[in-house]
Amino acid sequence: MSDITRLRAFVVDTARLLQNETSEATILAQLAPRLEDLIRHDDWLPEVSASTAGDHYRQHLLYADPLDRFSIVSFVWGPGQGTPIHDHRVWGLVGVLRGEEISVRYQQQPDGSLRAGAPERLTAGQVAAVSPAIGDIHAISNGLSDASSISIHVYGGNIGRIRRAVYDAETGAARDFISGYSNDTVPNLWPGHPA
Ligand code: FE2
């Protein structure tokens, strides 16, 4: 049985930080250690938010700020699963909770094509950042061939509602998409404690 207390504390910390702070660099610098602390412990993610299904990765919304200032999402990658090349249009932090992930960053060239950077392997406990200011185009895939991997992402907006783009690896051509979320219900951050 998971205990969602850590996630609730992270939601509160993030909301409190964003109440007064607008500098992206400061937000990323202050939020990254908090996300590291959250993913250092693997005892809080509800089982339903860790589920895989079918042949596609899952993005389970854990919490969305009512003012769209931030969202927290659990990404679950089955063996062999990964994202297309995509961007975010807002800042984001990626923290691996379970398993390993391969992240490839891309830079758009003047002719519109994409140049891939060296693949980076992120293991459980590690955090990486994206944003239009520091590099916003990447693809993530499961680094394990025989198990699921799970990462917890925080974004500077409601990522499931943002119109953004996926890119063709060969031509760099962008196509609009709005990702939505895989789940219909979100975890209860305030569970009861029966007497
Ligand atoms: Fe991403």
Side-chain angles (χ1 to χ4, degrees):
M1 182 74 183
S2 61
D3 178 348
I4 207 157
T5 305
R6 293 185 201 281
L7 178 60
R8 184 171 67 241
F10 183 76
V11 167
V12 171
D13 282 351
T14 304
R16 200 168 274 150
L17 172 65
L18 296 180
Q19 201 166 20
N20 299 311
E21 188 55 64
T22 56
S23 157
E24 177 184 299
T26 304
I27 290 167
L28 291 177
Q30 296 201 9
L31 211 48
R34 293 179 196 189
L35 180 59
E36 281 171 3
D37 189 50
L38 179 68
I39 61 173
R40 188 173 299 133
H41 308 275
D42 188 6
D43 58 3
W44 56 268
L45 185 67
E47 197 53 46
V48 68
S49 307
S51 65
T52 55
D55 57 359
H56 199 264
Y57 67 90
R58 308 284 282 171
Q59 40 195 341
H60 302 281
L61 176 66
L62 297 177
Y63 182 81
D65 174 60
L67 302 182
D68 280 354
R69 293 171 303 179
F70 68 99
S71 52
I72 304 171
V73 184
S74 163
F75 276 73
V76 185
W77 329 86
Q81 293 179 358
T83 69
I85 303 169
H86 64 275
D87 63 19
H88 311 85
R89 314 286 171 100
V90 291
W91 59 258
L93 287 169
V94 174
V96 180
L97 177 72
R98 229 174 269 178
E100 296 184 8
E101 294 176 8
I102 307 289
S103 167
V104 179
R105 292 176 180 272
Y106 292 84
Q107 275 197 327
Q108 210 151 25
Q109 305 301 298
D111 67 358
S113 65
L114 295 174
R115 183 196 291 165
E120 297 169 67
R121 183 173 289 269
L122 294 174
T123 57
Q126 289 187 304
V127 169
V130 291
S131 89
I134 62 176
D136 200 35
I137 304 176
H138 73 173
I140 295 184
S141 58
N142 192 346
L144 302 179
S145 58
D146 57 353
S148 294
S149 291
I150 300 178
S151 56
I152 306 302
H153 298 198
V154 190
Y155 299 97
N158 189 328
I159 196 68
R161 298 184 61 197
I162 295 173
R163 182 175 296 279
R164 48 203 177 108
V166 293
Y167 296 85
D168 183 279
E170 301 300 321
T171 65
R175 181 168 53 82
D176 275 8
F177 88 118
I178 297 173
S179 66
Y181 299 106
S182 307
N183 50 331
D184 295 322
T185 59
V186 293
N188 181 3
L189 296 181
W190 303 271
H193 296 284

